[in-house]
Amino acid sequence: MEIILELLKLGAVGLVAGLFSSRLANRDYRHRKWWELRVKAYQDAIEALSDIVYYFEKHYKAEIEYRDLPEDFKKKMNAFWDESYPKVRRLADSGAFLFSTRANNALKEFMHDDDEQSYIEHLDNNLAKSEKCLAELVLSSKEDLKLKENFLSRLLP
């Protein structure tokens, strides 16, 4: 009878240990997947905003220097715009889900249309907005994507 009782105790300990480790592993897996999703969103937003900044810089510089951009270069710039702007718009729409409040506010401010008087004002305002949004997203990503330290990570090398 004592042997059966000891076997039941060992089985209960094994069951509790298995459930506990399973729960920890599942929680860690979900946390990593969520973190990877956020990393991808920040990466996509930063890349797209970088292309938009480049687009506005080139057009703004050409406009203040009173020169026209070559046609093949314009096509290349328009490809940057056509690919990047919709991506930023989609990310701004899903921003509350993926980004911090700070990053989400920066994206919303970037997407807000201003009433410019001229083309040069349009370029200047949008260049400033895109640079500000890009800087804000980079700062937010550094804060939001920090790996949190837990008690086990301090024990392990």
Side-chain angles (χ1 to χ4, degrees), residues 84-146:
S84 299
Y85 187 77
K87 189 182 290 187
V88 172
R89 185 189 47 76
R90 283 190 304 273
L91 288 167
D93 290 343
S94 63
F97 175 67
L98 296 169
F99 301 114
S100 67
T101 304
R102 179 179 173 186
N104 190 36
N105 289 339
L107 285 168
K108 283 183 179 180
E109 188 177 321
F110 171 74
M111 295 306 299
H112 182 263
D113 287 330
D114 295 327
D115 295 328
E116 296 91 8
Q117 298 299 320
S118 67
Y119 182 62
I120 191 77
E121 286 177 346
H122 164 76
L123 292 174
D124 187 36
N125 288 342
N126 283 304
L127 176 58
K129 282 187 345 184
S130 57
E131 286 175 336
K132 181 181 176 187
C133 186
L134 178 60
E136 198 67 34
L137 277 180
V138 169
L139 288 174
S140 293
S141 70
K142 287 179 181 179
E143 283 180 24
D144 295 344
L145 300 175
K146 276 185 189 173

Side-chain angles (χ1 to χ4, degrees), residues 10-23:
L10 288 174
V13 168
L15 181 65
V16 169
L19 290 173
F20 181 71
S21 63
S22 173
R23 173 135 170 96

